[in-house]
Amino acid sequence: MTSWQKLIKKSITRPEELAGDPAVDEEAVRRVCAVYPMRINPYYLELVRRHGAPLLHQALPDIRELDDPEGMVDPLGEEKLSPVPNLVHKYPDRALFLVCSECAMYCRFCTRKRKVGRPEMIISRETIRAGLDYLRRTPQIREVLLSGGDPLMLADDHLEEILAALRAIPSISVIRIGSRIPCTLPMRVTERLAAMLRRYHPLYINTHFNHPAELTPEAVAACGRLADAGIPLGCQTVLLRGVNDDAAVMRELMYRLLAARVKPYYLFQADLTRGTGHFRTSIQCGLAIMRSLIGHVSGMAVPTYALDAPGGGGKIPLTPDYVTERGELLRFTTYRGSTATYPNGRQQEERQAAARATSWHSAKKTFQESS
Ligand SMILES: *Cc1c(COP(=O)(O)O)cnc(C)c1O
Ligand code: SF4
């Protein structure tokens, strides 16, 4: 067993392991764990001890998970979009392939809470073979996203088998891995793993950090090992009440991600997943946070705020509206709140047409003179 696998083995998974901790309602944890799994590995547990609430909420079962009548079991309609089990084909040119049912920690807000880490999620050599077969016979799929669970929970050689099988499919050009492991168990990102992954380029990894305290020296080093292997890194943060629904926290997170060579990719509005209602914020909250980022931090550090449409419609970008008036003169508010205008009406088109005519005439004249 490798050292990261030993850390996983030492995770807190049973309510009685939390007995006697004054911050924990053991009975509540017991009731939640009967429905949704818990796994807090020693690395993340230490972070929770050091930083408290924003990390604790992500890891510790909460009784409110059992009381969420508005929540939907499968909010993104993934099951009905799965032509074979554990492969979601929603967009024409890319598919989501679930290759592992486990994670290094079970996040309380997980979108796939209905199955991740539960006996319902059966991933076997059979389901992986069926997924690969589907990808082989569906050549319009050019990009495969490996997800789960967390694909980096697989042993190196098992993951490599899957990557090699994907690389043998000529219609697949890009492989993307979604993994929270650089955040939740960075020591799993070994030099050996990075050296294996780099043989399967073009390969991208989107990771998942939700709070600046998660960017420890270990996590930053893990991202560095992947980046040094030539793997472009993105981050898919989830907007979570009580964790990062705060402009200053989010600004710090995005800035520190960029410094760790991770490009913020999406900031997700929380899905309507059953059992996660207590994490959900309003969309106005997310838009206000986006306003506090745009222009105030490097454009490289600004993610796309997006809602994944309930029912499987796909991701919808949500952008604060900077246009305050749409006439012939467009009026905007700048990131600082001052006003800017831009002439965009008929006048502008006429002026452009006149300018095109002038430049044509002068070009013709120059040509006639020189011939
Ligand atoms: C999010 C998602 C993707 C990838 O979407 P991008 O906008 O390309 O990041 C692909 N398939 C499914 C089912 C998804 O949920
Ligand atoms: S790591 Fe991702 S898939 Fe796993 S529990 Fe957390 S959010 Fe869900």
Side-chain angles (χ1 to χ4, degrees):
M1 205 184 285
T2 61
S3 56
W4 67 269
Q5 285 165 328
K6 283 183 199 145
L7 282 175
I8 291 288
K9 274 251 182 296
K10 284 195 219 151
S11 299
I12 291 180
T13 57
R14 288 172 299 122
E16 50 274 26
E17 293 171 272
L18 293 164
D21 189 325
V24 175
D25 175 350
E26 199 194 330
E27 181 49 28
V29 173
R30 194 178 308 284
R31 286 176 55 201
V32 176
C33 284
V35 184
Y36 301 115
M38 165 172 70
R39 177 177 279 164
I40 312 174
N41 71 57
Y43 167 79
Y44 204 88
L45 182 66
E46 176 54 31
L47 280 195
V48 168
R49 292 219 170 101
R50 240 185 288 158
H51 299 283
L55 306 205
L56 183 72
H57 291 326
Q58 297 186 60
L60 183 71
D62 185 304
I63 195 68
R64 289 172 291 181
E65 293 175 43
L66 301 179
D67 178 27
D68 182 16
E70 279 167 35
M72 298 156 77
V73 172
D74 179 14
L76 308 178
E78 292 189 328
E79 300 301 336
K80 73 166 202 281
L81 291 166
S82 298
V84 297
N86 298 317
L87 186 142
V88 187
H89 190 186
K90 171 153 83 177
Y91 295 104
D93 69 334
R94 53 210 190 279
L96 183 70
F97 189 12
L98 310 183
V99 295
C100 182
S101 61
E102 286 188 63
C103 301
M105 165 168 109
Y106 292 123
C107 311
R108 308 323 301 171
F109 52 85
C110 181
T111 282
R112 240 164 256 135
K113 210 172 164 75
R114 68 180 185 283
K115 59 199 262 179
V116 168
R118 303 177 75 186
E120 287 89 329
M121 191 171 193
I122 297 163
I123 290 175
S124 61
R125 299 219 164 245
E126 276 320 303
T127 66
I128 289 178
R129 190 172 314 134
L132 290 168
D133 281 343
Y134 180 80
L135 295 170
R136 267 182 218 111
R137 62 175 191 265
T138 317
Q140 69 265 33
I141 296 174
R142 295 157 52 111
E143 176 176 352
V144 174
L145 284 73
L146 297 182
S147 183
D150 198 315
L152 298 188
M153 283 295 284
L154 298 174
D156 293 1
D157 54 351
H158 187 190
L159 179 60
E160 180 158 24
E161 265 176 53
I162 296 172
L163 293 172
L166 290 172
R167 270 290 158 251
I169 303 175
S171 45
I172 291 171
S173 75
V174 173
I175 298 175
R176 199 197 304 182
I177 297 177
S179 171
R180 207 181 171 195
I181 272 183
C183 170
T184 51
L185 193 67
M187 43 291 286
R188 193 281 170 253
V189 183
T190 57
E191 290 287 355
R192 187 174 184 274
L193 175 72
M196 183 276 278
L197 293 173
R198 73 181 307 158
R199 292 201 290 272
Y200 296 91
H201 279 308
L203 182 127
Y204 291 70
I205 292 183
N206 277 342
T207 182
H208 175 173
F209 286 82
N210 293 327
H211 192 277
E214 293 172 337
L215 282 154
T216 61
E218 292 95 326
V220 171
C223 293
R225 286 191 286 279
L226 295 170
D228 284 345
I231 301 168
L233 301 174
C235 183
Q236 308 196 157
T237 297
V238 184
L239 177 57
L240 298 167
R241 179 196 292 271
V243 174
N244 59 16
D245 58 337
D246 175 276
V249 168
M250 201 64 93
R251 227 181 280 167
E252 181 70 8
L253 172 63
M254 297 304 157
Y255 177 80
R256 285 180 56 187
L257 282 168
L258 198 59
R261 305 164 73 186
V262 181
K263 166 82 186 78
Y265 176 52
Y266 278 131
L267 170 63
F268 283 125
Q269 172 65 19
D271 290 326
L272 298 173
T273 312
R274 180 169 298 166
T276 67
H278 55 294
F279 283 111
R280 228 166 280 138
T281 67
S282 65
I283 287 180
Q284 290 93 293
C285 165
L287 289 172
I289 285 176
M290 289 306 292
R291 270 192 203 272
S292 79
L293 293 175
I294 294 169
H296 298 276
V297 296
S298 162
M300 291 284 293
V302 179
T304 299
Y305 177 40
L307 167 75
D308 216 337
K315 291 168 184 84
I316 299 169
L318 302 170
T319 308
D321 194 356
Y322 289 85
V323 181
T324 53
E325 218 177 293
R326 293 164 206 269
E328 283 201 357
L329 194 67
L330 284 180
R331 203 175 286 277
F332 304 90
T333 175
T334 69
Y335 78 96
R336 290 177 153 164
S338 59
T339 298
T341 58
Y342 186 87
N344 200 35
R346 194 146 30 92
Q347 264 183 324
Q348 171 82 351
E349 276 162 34
E350 280 164 11
R351 222 178 297 132
Q352 281 169 349
R356 272 195 299 271
T358 315
S359 64
W360 163 242
H361 285 307
S362 60
K364 202 162 90 178
K365 212 165 134 226
T366 313
F367 177 74
Q368 282 165 343
E369 276 164 6
S370 64
S371 56

